Amino acid sequence: DPAASADSDSDADSTASPAPGTRRRPRTGIIAAVLVAVLVLVGGAAIAVRKLHASTGTSAQTTSPASGWAGEWRQIWKFDAVSPDNRRDILGNENQFVVIDTDDSSSQAVDTITSYDVSGDSLEKQWEITVNRTSNDYGGSPSYWGNYIIDRIWLIDSRTGEHIPCPWSMQEYPTDFIGNYAVRCDTEDQCSAWGSDSPDHKLWTKKIPGTNDFMYSPQGRWSYSAYQGDQTIAQFAGKTLINLATGETYNIDANDDSSTNHRVVVDDDTGEAHPVESPGRAIALADGWVFNRDGNTVFASPTGQELETIDASINGGDDTPFTGMADQPHPTIEQYKSYLINGDTSWAGVVVTRRSSGNYKFTVAGSTLKSDDWDGEDLVVSGDRSLLIQEQYGSVLRTNTGEYIDAMWDVQNSRRIDLPKQYDHFYMVNPDLIVAQVYNTGEIVAYRPAGK
């Protein structure tokens, strides 16, 4: 039985690797995640930290206590490995667990998709379907999108298993899934969007200049942000915000410091290289936006109307410690301003300090936790403040609770929690259920904390 003490012999400063193996799970499209949780940049490094919170809007974390993972784990069920010609994907949302077994042995791939209720210790099958596709169909991993599951070319209702072909062609497959919206912008700056509430038609299509340059700039592709209040508004160009429901655009005047690295483009005709200015990047807040302009910080409303400018730069570019802020998915303008002006992080759920290169200190609820191998992935605080979780592909914009995790710390005793070393991937379906996985074979084992 692989269940073992999660504390084992690690001491308070344990930085043991969470699990062997380096293969990382492919993404489905690109989720606008890296800067959404609010961060501070230092010399180009970024961190995103947030709280494991109740479902609001399209963000879908939960508040169930997580302290049990610091003690004994108990195994509750297991799936054996798949055959060599097959592979297995898994998804989870609250008490739903979905297994997608793919037979890739011929050109006509077959996906068997099974949904289970995992509210108890035994699996209760909800529905099962089989769909066909060619092996060269889009190969991204399945994912939740609102109440749907996207499996390559199929859109599956997660509640019933009913399925229809995806409303987009392979040529216009969305480049980004942002909460309940799917968006694609092509190389000609032509953008389209779909909504999961009514996926059978496009919400809008329009040309938005600068989207291609922004998304493929050094800072753009992995770091654009999205405001989520009564509207979902994303930055898809250096000077433009987009209302994803309507396609309405709003202007912003953001730029980066001169110290920011710039892209270099080589002219195909002359062979000459010349730098290209990186587009300005805005960061979503709980009640608007913040962005840099000529070394100053500008605060703006959700639609980009400038509210205040202060003499402080977001991009410090120095070697001072940097702080992640996230007692909530986004800080307010006042909270962000208090950090920039006074260094105030009293309202934050997690404070991250870089002690030296590759060496970090996390402060949660007055406790100090240490890591020598943190790579900047999202940090999540459980609702009861007992657990710090390092996510593998974190995003506050996803529409499900499940997420692959890399590491956990027990806040009370400041120890790194050892994950079972015979597995190389760990998927937290909800705070009381972790599915350990041997990724290359598809074997999966479900655990709950002792006493759960």
Side-chain angles (χ1 to χ4, degrees):
D1 186 348
S5 170
D7 282 332
S8 65
D9 295 324
S10 58
D11 60 22
D13 292 338
S14 172
T15 55
S17 177
T22 58
R23 180 174 177 177
R24 297 179 72 82
R25 191 169 185 268
R27 294 176 182 264
T28 299
I30 304 296
I31 300 176
V34 179
L35 295 183
V36 177
V38 179
L39 52 84
V40 176
L41 297 180
V42 175
I47 63 171
V49 292
R50 56 194 174 87
K51 180 182 178 181
L52 199 63
H53 61 286
S55 298
T56 55
T58 59
S59 186
Q61 318 323 317
T62 62
T63 57
S64 180
S67 56
W69 293 113
E72 296 286 334
W73 297 26
R74 63 184 183 92
Q75 178 179 324
I76 56 174
W77 43 261
K78 178 180 180 181
F79 279 60
D80 292 333
V82 297
S83 67
D85 289 331
N86 291 9
R87 58 192 177 86
R88 173 173 287 154
D89 289 290
I90 58 177
L91 292 170
N93 183 37
E94 297 182 352
N95 287 323
Q96 181 182 48
F97 182 67
V98 178
V99 179
I100 302 176
D101 285 338
T102 300
D103 183 349
D104 276 331
S105 58
S106 66
S107 60
Q108 185 68 38
V110 179
D111 288 353
T112 300
I113 306 165
T114 310
S115 172
Y116 299 95
D117 182 333
V118 291
S119 56
D121 281 359
S122 60
L123 293 168
E124 298 291 338
K125 183 183 291 187
Q126 296 173 319
W127 50 260
E128 182 174 287
I129 62 171
T130 300
V131 296
N132 297 330
R133 57 183 177 81
T134 61
S135 294
N136 61 359
D137 284 335
Y138 176 75
S141 297
S143 65
Y144 279 91
W145 182 47
N147 288 322
Y148 289 94
I149 294 170
I150 301 173
D151 182 31
R152 286 77 176 188
I153 63 172
W154 295 98
L155 207 58
I156 304 163
D157 190 315
S158 63
R159 298 159 296 186
T160 65
E162 295 179 3
H163 54 287
I164 58 174
C166 287
W168 42 75
S169 66
M170 297 307 296
Q171 290 72 32
E172 59 177 6
Y173 207 99
T175 47
D176 302 275
F177 292 89
I178 302 176
N180 289 317
Y181 296 95
V183 185
R184 176 180 176 82
C185 294
D186 62 23
T187 56
E188 302 299 322
D189 293 338
Q190 189 79 4
C191 297
S192 300
W194 297 261
S196 62
D197 290 339
S198 182
D200 55 343
H201 71 278
K202 290 182 183 178
L203 295 172
W204 50 266
T205 297
K206 66 189 302 183
K207 189 178 182 67
I208 304 175
T211 54
N212 185 66
D213 287 344
F214 178 79
M215 295 173 70
Y216 290 97
S217 71
Q219 288 78 29
R221 182 60 168 161
W222 291 97
S223 62
Y224 57 83
S225 191
Y227 164 83
Q228 289 188 298
D230 55 350
Q231 308 170 87
T232 300
I233 300 173
Q235 184 189 22
F236 269 65
K239 303 291 184 182
T240 308
L241 304 175
I242 306 173
N243 186 317
L244 297 187
T246 65
E248 184 178 2
T249 58
Y250 316 105
N251 295 327
I252 59 171
D253 184 13
N255 62 32
D256 283 329
D257 284 345
S258 59
S259 60
T260 303
N261 292 330
H262 294 292
R263 183 172 48 151
V264 175
V265 174
V266 178
D267 190 295
D268 292 335
D269 296 325
T270 66
E272 295 182 356
H274 59 90
V276 177
E277 182 178 354
S278 297
R281 183 194 60 251
I283 299 171
L285 302 178
D287 49 359
W289 297 87
V290 60
F291 53 86
N292 188 77
R293 185 171 64 223
D294 301 328
N296 295 318
T297 294
V298 181
F299 296 97
S301 73
T303 57
Q305 180 181 0
E306 294 187 12
L307 304 175
E308 183 178 3
T309 300
I310 64 173
D311 184 15
S313 176
I314 299 174
N315 300 333
D318 55 26
D319 239 358
T320 58
F322 56 96
T323 305
M325 301 172 289
D327 194 43
Q328 55 198 37
H330 306 283
T332 64
I333 289 175
E334 288 303 314
Q335 287 171 337
Y336 197 96
K337 186 166 61 174
S338 71
Y339 168 74
L340 289 179
I341 296 175
N342 303 315
D344 176 25
T345 58
S346 59
W347 48 269
V350 184
V351 175
V352 180
T353 304
R354 182 173 58 193
R355 300 185 298 169
S356 60
S357 179
N359 193 309
Y360 299 92
K361 179 178 72 174
F362 309 135
T363 304
V364 182
S367 297
T368 298
L369 305 88
K370 300 174 184 177
S371 175
D372 292 332
D373 56 0
W374 182 60
D375 58 3
E377 295 284 5
D378 281 11
L379 297 171
V380 181
V381 184
S382 64
D384 61 358
R385 303 273 182 148
S386 66
L387 197 69
L388 178 66
I389 304 166
Q390 178 178 313
E391 295 189 332
Q392 196 171 102
Y393 311 115
S395 169
V396 296
L397 295 177
R398 69 178 186 268
T399 58
N400 64 303
T401 59
E403 181 64 17
Y404 279 92
I405 64 174
D406 278 337
M408 298 192 296
W409 289 263
D410 179 0
V411 173
Q412 184 175 4
N413 62 22
S414 303
R415 290 186 176 181
R416 174 78 167 259
I417 295 173
D418 290 336
L419 303 174
K421 293 183 171 56
Q422 60 269 49
Y423 303 102
D424 51 21
H425 281 68
F426 298 88
Y427 190 86
M428 180 172 276
V429 180
N430 58 56
D432 290 330
L433 178 62
I434 289 178
V435 175
Q437 183 179 26
V438 180
Y439 190 69
N440 288 332
T441 70
E443 176 188 336
I444 54 177
V445 178
Y447 292 96
R448 289 200 193 280
K452 296 291 185 179

